[in-house]
Amino acid sequence: MSEENLPQPVDSVAAPGTAVPEPSGVDLARVALRAAKEQARARGAAAQQKKQARRGGGLRSGARADGRDPMALGAAINRLITERGWETPAAVGGVMGRWPQIVGDDLAKHCVPVRFDDEPDARVLTVQCDSTAWATQLRLLAPTLVARLNEDLGHGTVRLIKVLGPGAPRRGYGPLRAPGSTGPGDTYG
């Protein structure tokens, strides 16, 4: 018989001077059943707490999102970049990957970004050119290029473009060297 089907006791208030009747067998069974259920519930809650403590303090993934749920790789990388404060270096790295779209194909074939110094007082983008003519062309376009980069990356991200000419070949000292000559570096500037 379930608890709902058991007859409910009638709370009777005895008149002063009369004795309260003793609970009958059904009432005693109902009281014993209720006490047993409460004890079982308490034992179950204690066992559940012990089990959760073994599993890591009761932290379980549920229906709502939390920091331990799996996420897409792009979202995880964006979260890492934001947490570490790498927004500016990552943006400049993206510019180096999109260099031909930013400066044009002709200039990109002859001028390559080498380094970005992101110190707040410097913020210099260093670009290496393969000839002095392209280096001169890039020096003339530098203010326009700085404006375009800052428009793409945010105001003040790049303050200066440092243009490097071609790397001179190694100077060899041999028997046919002309006196007073600086070698092949004479033509690079």
Side-chain angles (χ1 to χ4, degrees):
M1 200 176 233
S2 69
E3 187 176 354
E4 293 86 44
N5 296 340
L6 293 176
Q8 299 295 324
V10 177
D11 289 354
S12 58
V13 178
T18 59
V20 177
E22 295 270 334
S24 66
V26 174
D27 292 334
L28 286 174
R30 185 179 298 121
V31 171
L33 179 63
R34 193 174 295 140
K37 283 185 175 183
E38 288 175 11
Q39 288 176 355
R41 211 175 285 130
R43 280 193 310 267
Q48 185 69 20
Q49 287 176 351
K50 286 180 184 178
K51 187 185 281 187
Q52 286 178 352
R54 281 188 300 225
R55 288 184 181 164
L59 294 175
R60 294 186 355 230
S61 183
R64 292 186 175 79
D66 61 5
R68 298 171 294 122
D69 286 341
M71 60 176 54
L73 181 63
I77 289 173
N78 288 338
R79 181 174 162 186
L80 179 68
I81 287 172
T82 303
E83 286 175 355
R84 303 289 172 116
W86 295 338
E87 289 93 357
T88 301
V92 172
V95 165
M96 291 189 181
R98 294 180 291 126
W99 184 251
Q101 290 95 10
I102 294 171
V103 298
D105 290 333
D106 291 338
L107 195 60
K109 288 178 186 174
H110 301 284
C111 302
V112 179
V114 177
R115 178 177 63 237
F116 177 71
D117 297 322
D118 63 343
E119 296 174 12
D121 56 333
R123 296 192 178 180
V124 177
L125 179 64
T126 306
V127 180
Q128 175 93 39
C129 297
D130 63 357
S131 72
T132 56
W134 284 106
T136 303
Q137 182 69 22
L138 188 63
R139 283 188 189 104
L140 294 173
L141 292 173
T144 307
L145 191 56
V146 167
R148 189 179 305 165
L149 288 169
N150 284 332
E151 181 181 306
D152 192 31
L153 299 173
H155 182 67
T157 303
V158 178
R159 293 187 181 170
L160 180 69
I161 293 182
K162 182 179 177 182
V163 180
L164 301 176
R170 190 174 149 266
R171 293 184 183 183
Y173 297 101
L176 300 176
R177 184 162 187 262
S181 167
T182 58
D186 281 349
T187 60
Y188 299 128

